[in-house]
Amino acid sequence: MQTPQTTEFDAIVVGSGISGGWAAKELTEKGLKVLMLERGRNVEHIKDYPNATKGPWEYPHRGGRTQQMIADYPVLRRDYPLNEKNLDFWVNEKESPYTEAKRFDWYRGYHVGGRSLMWGRQSYRWSDFDFEANAREGIAIDWPIRYNDIASWYSYVEKHAGIQGTREGLPHLPDSEFLPGFPLNCGEEHVAAQIKKNYGGKRHLIIGRSANLTQPLPGRGQCQTRNACWLGCTFGAYFSTQSSTLPAAVKTGNLTLKTHAIVHELVYDKDRKRVSGVRVVDALTNEATEYRAKIFFVCASTLNSTWLLMRSARDIWPGGLGSASGALGHNLMDHHFRLGASGSLEGFDDKYYNGRRPTGYYIPRFQNLFGDKRPYLRGFGYQGSASRQGWERAVAELGIGGAFKDSMAQPGSWTIGGTAFGEMLPDHRNMISIDENTRDKWGLPVLKIDCEIGENERMMRKDMTTELAEMFESSGAKNVRTFDNGYTPGQGIHEMGTARMGRDPKTSVLNANNQVWDALNVFVTDGSCMTSAAAVNPSLTYMALTARAADFAVNELNRRNL
């Protein structure tokens, strides 16, 4: 980490997660002197992954959670992320609270790399079925871009990030620039073949496309199939800021990284209609500093980026920079999930598989496409896997004796399961605002979140279980059961919206190049820019939009338009 010796830069990037890392890489490689501001601590690649190679027996509580952890993390405790293995990668909730008008599970990581260290790495391109959906159905507003506007940028970021997968030629799930894909195992291959036959080739079970290297890239080793990505990868085998974009930015000599730097306001010059700087409070000393630049990339993660816009230029717009649109803070989205089906597979007891593959299968959306009609809009896909049961199946049993122990040393029966991930429609009523009555550790007002799923999502959820159960049963699976563990917005950890892109400054915060309409030298390229959510994981689209916006920004800067 460098300590800034100057407060003047060509560009400032707020946030160091997936989008911020890409912004820093692209801007520095184009010759700009860049300051990256991260509100949390530094996490150095390899050195700061203390648990990456630990065995479960090396943890005091075998990787579980303690009563103290449950008391200290009232939000994180609501789902699987709370455990002792990577607790340091999650935000201190007492220092950084938020207000819930309705329950919203906001899982955050405040450190260099952000959630790029913990993400699920599922990486899918959007298609024009997604970009055109709002306009076609009269929902919210139209995206200002189409697939052709971003396709080359998908290719650009994929080659650097490293995406494994298989070419399928599906119009609704465009192929990427793939590294060799992980193979499906024999159970998955069987079900894939049956689904293809039973549904006339209209449904597909493919390997889940993920940002895991199956071949080395410069400075990064290939995946060792340990399936411990969420602890940090010492091999650099999955895409993160630390393994990929930050080293590239540092290599240029043009990057200054400042940690513990909480950006709480963009300084707006009303005469120039541009932002001239950022106001920062040091998280350790509370010292205030103002840094100045020509262009700004706001990549603090969906809700924090919008919080920053809401805190800026309030002398001009009481609702903050971008609020003249009436859209700032609105149309918060996530992916709803936590439901699906499972069953057992027979006839494969003489077969097994190698390693712990870091991805499973994927069944792309098939609803409301190619003649399929549903009583709801949009659709969902499935992520899952087939596997053989291990010794854990005996934990609840009372068996004793040598024969029992011998049987537990052998793999159990084959099972297959899957979880549906559904699209959430943009809804103006799903929103965030600033709660001036609640303050964080640094005296800054926190966010208030008011979000819930609607009738469209509730109707969709009925199909999300039954369709998968039907596919499993028709493929020969036995003992098929459905499950629905309930869902609360935020649990998908795919926050999107609240500063959407659009074609008109009266209805959108950002234009087609991710510029704030009222301050064209400010670019917002993380999840807050999303105009709709699609059914696929969004991070690959953030990468492509960021690289595209950085290229545009530098060209405009060179033309003296910014």
Side-chain angles (χ1 to χ4, degrees):
M1 184 189 75
Q2 289 178 272
T3 300
Q5 301 301 313
T6 177
T7 57
E8 297 276 350
F9 296 86
D10 295 323
I12 291 175
V13 176
V14 182
S16 62
I18 284 179
S19 302
W22 268 103
K25 172 188 176 296
E26 294 303 299
L27 296 172
T28 55
E29 288 184 341
K30 295 178 187 298
L32 272 61
K33 297 295 183 182
V34 176
L35 172 65
M36 176 187 276
L37 297 169
E38 167 54 50
R39 66 171 293 153
R41 67 185 177 95
N42 194 18
V43 175
E44 291 188 31
H45 187 44
I46 301 176
K47 181 179 80 69
D48 289 332
Y49 307 151
N51 296 333
T53 57
K54 279 186 180 178
W57 58 88
E58 296 181 79
Y59 295 95
H61 307 95
R62 300 299 184 263
R65 56 178 66 178
T66 66
Q67 292 303 309
Q68 188 62 53
M69 289 164 58
I70 291 171
D72 290 343
Y73 294 86
V75 176
L76 206 61
R77 63 179 285 186
R78 297 172 182 175
D79 208 351
Y80 72 92
L82 182 60
N83 66 86
E84 67 178 333
K85 290 186 176 182
N86 71 344
L87 189 60
D88 288 345
F89 285 169
W90 298 102
V91 72
N92 183 318
E93 295 176 16
K94 292 183 177 180
E95 294 181 351
S96 302
Y98 64 100
T99 304
E100 297 170 275
K102 300 182 181 73
R103 176 177 162 179
F104 188 95
D105 296 0
W106 189 14
Y107 301 141
R108 298 160 286 167
Y110 292 169
H111 51 259
V112 171
R115 288 179 300 193
S116 78
L117 288 174
M118 303 99 80
W119 69 308
R121 306 165 310 285
Q122 294 291 297
S123 301
Y124 303 95
R125 293 189 181 195
W126 283 34
S127 74
D128 274 336
F129 290 100
D130 303 307
F131 286 113
E132 294 174 356
N134 279 1
R136 184 172 59 248
E137 299 161 354
I139 298 295
I141 63 170
D142 186 18
W143 275 88
I145 61 173
R146 292 295 186 261
Y147 179 69
N148 283 342
D149 295 310
I150 196 174
S152 64
W153 293 105
Y154 275 132
S155 294
Y156 177 80
V157 299
E158 287 160 354
K159 291 173 183 177
H160 183 83
I163 310 297
Q164 67 75 34
T166 53
R167 301 190 69 82
E168 303 291 340
L170 304 178
H172 54 300
L173 192 73
D175 291 323
S176 292
E177 303 286 342
F178 289 126
L179 298 172
F182 287 108
L184 297 171
N185 62 42
C186 61
E188 294 161 350
E189 286 180 335
H190 167 76
V191 174
Q194 292 299 308
I195 288 175
K196 184 176 182 180
K197 181 181 73 173
N198 296 337
Y199 294 92
K202 293 183 178 181
R203 301 187 188 183
H204 309 267
L205 187 154
I206 63 177
I207 192 66
R209 299 167 178 177
S210 68
N212 294 89
L213 302 187
T214 52
Q215 292 177 344
L217 289 179
R220 299 169 59 195
Q222 74 182 65
C223 179
Q224 304 297 301
T225 61
R226 300 170 60 242
N227 195 22
C229 308
W230 47 290
L231 304 178
C233 182
T234 57
F235 306 95
Y238 74 83
F239 173 86
S240 67
T241 296
Q242 276 83 348
S243 71
S244 184
T245 49
L246 185 56
V250 169
K251 184 179 179 180
T252 67
N254 291 328
L255 180 70
T256 299
L257 169 63
K258 180 169 175 56
T259 56
H260 301 292
I262 303 174
V263 182
H264 62 89
E265 185 179 357
L266 300 171
V267 181
Y268 186 72
D269 183 334
K270 62 182 180 181
D271 296 323
R272 295 180 57 244
K273 296 183 178 180
R274 296 287 188 271
V275 164
S276 60
V278 295
R279 294 195 174 107
V280 175
V281 60
D282 189 294
L284 300 179
T285 68
N286 286 323
E287 180 184 358
T289 307
E290 184 173 314
Y291 297 99
R292 301 175 66 84
K294 301 170 185 174
I295 58 175
F296 301 82
F297 270 69
V298 178
C299 304
S301 81
T302 293
L303 302 186
N304 282 318
S305 288
T306 297
W307 176 88
L308 178 56
L309 294 176
M310 288 176 164
R311 292 267 303 158
S312 304
R314 297 180 75 172
D315 57 331
I316 309 296
W317 301 280
L321 181 61
S323 64
S325 64
L328 186 66
H330 294 275
N331 300 288
L332 175 59
M333 300 168 284
D334 186 28
H335 285 131
H336 61 105
F337 73 126
R338 289 170 54 88
L339 73 175
S342 64
S344 57
L345 298 174
E346 298 177 349
F348 304 99
D349 288 350
D350 60 336
K351 296 179 175 64
Y352 202 69
Y353 41 83
N354 294 321
R356 298 179 180 91
R357 194 181 58 192
T359 187
Y361 68 72
Y362 186 63
I363 299 176
R365 171 189 165 191
F366 51 82
Q367 314 81 30
N368 293 314
L369 294 172
F370 314 116
D372 179 279
K373 298 292 184 183
R374 305 288 165 130
Y376 49 84
L377 300 175
R378 317 290 167 94
F380 51 88
Y382 294 102
Q383 297 177 29
S385 64
S387 61
R388 296 196 72 168
Q389 293 179 315
W391 60 267
E392 295 93 341
R393 69 189 188 278
V395 170
E397 303 298 330
L398 300 177
I400 59 173
F404 174 76
K405 293 178 181 178
D406 288 342
S407 69
M408 286 304 103
Q410 301 300 316
S413 59
W414 278 86
T415 63
I416 189 168
T419 298
F421 290 78
E423 180 167 358
M424 185 173 173
L425 293 179
D427 186 329
H428 187 80
R429 296 169 294 183
N430 288 331
M431 60 176 289
I432 61 174
S433 57
I434 292 180
D435 181 356
E436 296 286 358
N437 297 317
T438 305
R439 302 274 164 163
D440 65 16
K441 177 184 176 181
W442 301 274
L444 299 171
V446 305
L447 280 177
K448 179 179 180 179
I449 306 176
D450 187 350
C451 183
E452 63 183 349
I453 62 170
E455 183 60 24
N456 195 72
E457 289 79 36
R458 286 189 285 271
M459 286 193 294
M460 186 186 298
R461 289 179 74 82
K462 298 175 183 177
D463 278 0
M464 291 165 83
T465 55
T466 57
E467 289 284 355
L468 187 58
E470 178 187 284
M471 284 188 280
F472 284 166
E473 288 174 341
S474 67
S475 299
K478 308 296 183 184
N479 306 311
V480 175
R481 299 176 181 177
T482 61
F483 66 91
D484 186 343
N485 295 329
Y487 165 78
T488 297
Q491 289 183 318
I493 322 184
H494 290 167
E495 312 97 71
M496 289 173 276
T498 69
R500 68 187 179 191
M501 297 171 69
R503 301 176 184 273
D504 187 338
K506 295 179 180 179
T507 58
S508 59
V509 179
L510 310 172
N511 67 17
N513 295 304
N514 294 83
Q515 297 168 282
V516 176
W517 288 104
D518 292 317
L520 294 178
N521 65 334
V522 177
F523 297 80
V524 183
T525 64
D526 58 18
S528 54
C529 77
M530 304 295 270
T531 311
S532 63
V536 297
N537 301 54
S539 295
L540 184 65
T541 298
Y542 304 165
M543 297 186 207
L545 287 173
T546 303
R548 175 177 177 265
D551 183 71
F552 175 85
V554 173
N555 287 335
E556 287 293 281
L557 197 61
N558 290 337
R559 296 187 186 108
R560 301 181 182 275
N561 290 335
L562 296 179

